[in-house]
Amino acid sequence: MVPWACGIDGCDAVFEDVESAVLHQTREHQRHECKVCGTIVPDGYFAIRHAFDEHTRAEYVRAYDADSAAVRRREQVKREIESEANLQTVVERLDESP
């Protein structure tokens, strides 16, 4: 099994499973304010999911001054997490006390 790195602002935390990485991002890092709509979301996976599920790629590019490579990179991260993670487990674990 390949370890999962946090990846937020140079955080070097590494986890054995993707669910633990997403939980870490949600619990241990500051929230992110979407530059498109102002919604506050957990940084990392949930911020990426919000950006690409709620907004167009063009809105993301304009708001974040991103290029196509940045969009593709985040879309790939989102696909990888969603193909590996049991997001129901993440939600259940978030509902538990830390």
Side-chain angles (χ1 to χ4, degrees), residues 5 7 10 16-18 23 27 29 37 44 47 51-52 55 59 63 65 77 83 87 94-95:
E16 291 185 22
D17 58 75
V18 66
L23 286 166
R27 290 179 172 160
H29 290 279
C37 69
F52 293 118
H55 307 295
E59 288 173 321
D65 194 27
V77 167
S83 72
L87 294 176
L94 283 171
D95 288 341

Side-chain angles (χ1 to χ4, degrees), residues 6 9 13 19 21 24 29-30 42 46 62 74 82 85 89 93:
C6 171
D9 296 329
E19 293 86 1
H24 163 82
H29 290 279
Q30 291 185 351
F46 286 115
R62 282 191 302 273
R74 284 161 180 80
E82 290 173 350
T89 297
R93 288 174 62 187

Side-chain angles (χ1 to χ4, degrees), residues 48-67:
I48 292 170
R49 187 176 89 172
H50 169 82
F52 293 118
D53 287 356
E54 301 297 324
H55 307 295
T56 67
R57 301 320 182 247
E59 288 173 321
Y60 179 84
V61 167
R62 282 191 302 273
Y64 289 91
D65 194 27
D67 60 16

Side-chain angles (χ1 to χ4, degrees), residues 7-97:
I8 295 175
D9 296 329
C11 178
D12 59 0
V14 176
F15 304 88
E16 291 185 22
D17 58 75
V18 66
E19 293 86 1
S20 295
V22 172
L23 286 166
H24 163 82
Q25 291 176 338
T26 303
R27 290 179 172 160
E28 303 300 324
H29 290 279
Q30 291 185 351
R31 302 282 187 212
H32 171 79
E33 182 177 354
C34 176
K35 291 182 180 181
V36 177
C37 69
T39 298
I40 306 295
V41 294
D43 205 352
Y45 165 72
F46 286 115
I48 292 170
R49 187 176 89 172
H50 169 82
F52 293 118
D53 287 356
E54 301 297 324
H55 307 295
T56 67
R57 301 320 182 247
E59 288 173 321
Y60 179 84
V61 167
R62 282 191 302 273
Y64 289 91
D65 194 27
D67 60 16
S68 60
V71 170
R72 283 192 303 275
R73 184 170 153 280
R74 284 161 180 80
E75 288 175 327
Q76 179 64 30
V77 167
K78 183 177 181 289
R79 276 192 304 274
E80 287 177 11
I81 289 172
E82 290 173 350
S83 72
E84 295 290 324
N86 180 334
L87 294 176
Q88 183 59 40
T89 297
V90 172
V91 169
E92 289 169 3
R93 288 174 62 187
L94 283 171
D95 288 341
E96 298 170 356
S97 56

